[in-house]
Amino acid sequence: MRATAKAKNVGMSARKMRLVIDQIRGRDVNDAYAILQFSKKKAARPIGKLLRSAVANATYRADEDGASLDVDELYVHEAYVDEGRTLKRWRARAYGRATPVLKRSSHVTVVVDTRG
């Protein structure tokens, strides 16, 4: 039973989020939970939240179809991060100059599926 969850405009750069998402891709859901729980990266919290949402979507779809689903059989089939929009701001600097501040965001997608 394949299920997808997406989070858009997460306020973190895609480069930082990819460091965490690469660790859980292809793993069992329980292993991914453990990796995210003990990760020191700030990106682990929204990715963990998204993973829980994908598992909840899978159980909901299984209930709708009348099928039985064991959560322990799920694994992270796909997980990727795309760049979101960049907010462009300016920061005052010395001698009346200004430098740009780029506030990056990202779109995260997690797909869980059953093995077999």
Side-chain angles (χ1 to χ4, degrees), residues 20-57:
V20 177
I21 208 90
D22 289 342
Q23 293 178 339
I24 66 166
R25 188 179 298 116
R27 303 234 183 196
D28 290 334
V29 169
N30 293 328
D31 293 341
Y33 283 147
I35 289 169
L36 293 172
Q37 182 179 1
F38 295 108
S39 176
K40 293 184 179 184
K41 297 285 187 184
K42 184 182 167 190
R45 179 165 284 181
I47 291 173
K49 196 173 178 181
L50 190 63
L51 181 61
R52 285 191 294 276
S53 177
V55 170
N57 291 344

Side-chain angles (χ1 to χ4, degrees), residues 67-111:
S68 64
L69 176 72
D70 186 15
V71 177
D72 295 332
E73 293 177 2
L74 290 175
Y75 76 105
V76 181
H77 180 67
E78 292 179 33
Y80 54 90
V81 180
D82 297 323
E83 288 186 15
R85 76 175 125 200
T86 300
L87 299 176
K88 296 175 181 170
R89 301 292 184 256
W90 295 95
R91 179 181 173 90
R93 299 308 291 245
Y95 298 104
R97 295 188 176 103
T99 57
V101 175
L102 302 177
K103 297 188 174 200
R104 300 182 186 273
S105 66
S106 34
H107 304 317
V108 187
T109 304
V110 174
V111 179

